[in-house]
Amino acid sequence: MDGRQNATRWRLGVEATPQEFSDLDQDRLRRIGVDVEALIGGPADIEWALSTVGIVVLQARPITSLSTTLEPGLILTPVCAENASKLPPDIAQHDKIALRLVASDLDIGIANGLVALANSPTSADIAEAARTISGWGEFIAVLLSPFDLDGEIFRRIGNGANANDVLSRFVGTVSAKHSYFAFLLKELQETASTGIAVRLADGSIRIELVHGHFITKGFADPTVYVLDAEGRLESHTIGNQRLAMQVVDGKTVRVPVEDPFEATGLQLGEIHRAVVGLASWYPGAGVEFGFTPAGDLFLIDLYQSHATTPPGRS
């Protein structure tokens, strides 16, 4: 339910007998847990469903704890295929990280990105991380693990010049609740326009485009394109955008725009290639993307995807 519903919780031990669960279901679930842990070789995070035929295991993964893998401090790791094995499994499978690994496979541009693994970092650790990204322009820090903070996605925007202040506030806020955590540091590319593209069940692709750094639903009336499965234009609706969201000196500002954004045939072809390529990895997933002022496509994020199921969410 993507965090929108509070789940009922039981704690099943050897002698646990929650009244809401039948004795038979308790025994079955307990045996499943023991069997899966034996297969995985340690504690397991198991997703299951109760169907008409009984308990069905949907998926299982080892329980990984950042606290057991992190050295003290703040470790920055560039996101690339060569470094995937250095990241905790839940981080390597996170949508934002998975997209970067796939982008290199598809030879599609994507902004600089670093995973920061934090274990009670000191001010000196934060300052060193800030020096690493001091040459960046605008950047965004996004919490990866835990998946959110107090039920909300947690992020901060800054630029290379004020990186130390932004990171100090970001790390300080998260550290007040968690000793061990991970976040993504992503450079925000110079962006003329932003869009989302979703592949529909019939293979056609719906594209929404606006000027600016962000496509904010309900804020800007986007230009909409629909491509058929082969990438041919089926329909085209010009938007009615009057304001764009841009990032300037680490802050989001609203900038007036005169004309709605319109894509060229070459740009639509690049979007089609990216969406079809991603579909081979993540069926049903769309993509958020941008165009540089020179018109070059780059990927931003997976959109309504099923690339990962963060712990505690479905």
Side-chain angles (χ1 to χ4, degrees):
M1 300 297 290
D2 201 27
R4 290 188 288 265
Q5 294 287 338
N6 293 322
T8 302
R9 300 188 180 202
W10 295 287
R11 192 175 190 88
L12 293 181
V14 176
E15 303 298 332
T17 56
Q19 297 302 309
E20 300 89 340
F21 228 27
S22 73
D23 290 342
L24 182 59
D25 286 335
Q26 290 176 52
D27 290 339
R28 286 173 175 167
L29 193 58
R30 198 176 288 115
R31 286 200 303 273
I32 287 171
V34 171
D35 291 343
V36 171
E37 288 189 348
L39 287 171
I40 287 178
D45 179 6
I46 305 168
E47 268 188 49
W48 56 273
L50 189 60
S51 74
T52 54
V53 298
I55 295 174
V56 179
V57 175
L58 304 177
Q59 63 176 335
R61 64 177 71 84
I63 293 177
T64 57
S65 171
L66 290 174
S67 64
T68 63
T69 59
L70 289 187
E71 295 294 327
L74 188 60
I75 302 170
L76 298 184
T77 303
V79 183
C80 58
E82 292 78 10
N83 291 333
S85 62
K86 300 178 183 179
L87 303 174
D90 60 323
I91 302 301
Q93 295 171 17
H94 195 288
D95 288 358
K96 296 181 184 302
I97 306 305
L99 180 67
R100 294 173 174 278
L101 302 179
V102 174
S104 61
D105 232 46
L106 298 176
D107 192 28
I108 298 175
I110 196 164
N112 288 329
L114 299 168
V115 167
L117 300 177
N119 177 353
S120 302
T122 66
S123 57
D125 297 325
I126 296 169
E128 181 62 30
R131 281 192 289 272
T132 301
I133 63 173
S134 60
W136 287 7
E138 313 291 350
F139 73 87
I140 187 167
V142 183
L143 188 62
L144 299 176
S145 179
F147 191 71
D148 53 36
L149 196 66
D150 297 328
E152 299 291 337
I153 301 300
F154 185 65
R155 59 174 66 88
R156 288 290 183 271
I157 295 174
N159 57 47
N162 68 3
N164 191 72
D165 290 340
V166 173
L167 287 181
S168 293
R169 293 196 301 272
F170 182 95
V171 171
T173 301
V174 181
S175 293
K177 296 181 178 293
H178 302 280
S179 297
Y180 310 95
F181 54 95
F183 59 96
L184 173 66
L185 286 170
K186 179 177 71 172
E187 187 172 19
L188 294 177
Q189 290 188 220
E190 196 172 354
T191 305
S193 61
T194 307
I196 54 175
V198 178
R199 195 169 190 234
L200 306 178
D202 63 359
S204 63
I205 297 172
R206 177 184 170 87
I207 302 166
E208 298 183 10
L209 281 160
V210 298
H211 290 288
H213 256 116
F214 303 104
I215 182 162
T216 308
K217 303 296 277 185
F219 173 72
D221 184 11
T223 295
V224 178
Y225 296 88
V226 176
L227 309 180
D228 68 15
E230 303 302 319
R232 294 180 291 261
L233 182 64
E234 285 189 341
S235 64
H236 175 202
T237 304
I238 298 295
N240 188 31
Q241 185 179 9
R242 291 292 176 261
L243 292 171
M245 296 293 290
Q246 289 284 9
V247 179
V248 180
D249 295 330
K251 299 178 181 178
T252 55
V253 296
R254 300 182 181 189
V255 180
V257 292
E258 295 182 2
D259 300 307
F261 181 82
E262 292 192 65
T264 66
L266 181 61
Q267 288 174 326
L268 293 175
E270 283 293 290
I271 297 169
H272 178 265
R273 184 176 79 88
V275 173
V276 170
L278 284 166
S280 64
W281 293 76
Y282 305 118
V287 66
E288 184 179 359
F289 60 88
F291 285 109
T292 68
D296 298 323
L297 176 75
F298 64 92
L299 302 182
I300 297 174
D301 205 350
L302 287 171
Y303 181 78
Q304 292 184 341
S305 77
H306 302 286
T308 187
T309 304
R313 298 168 72 94
S314 61

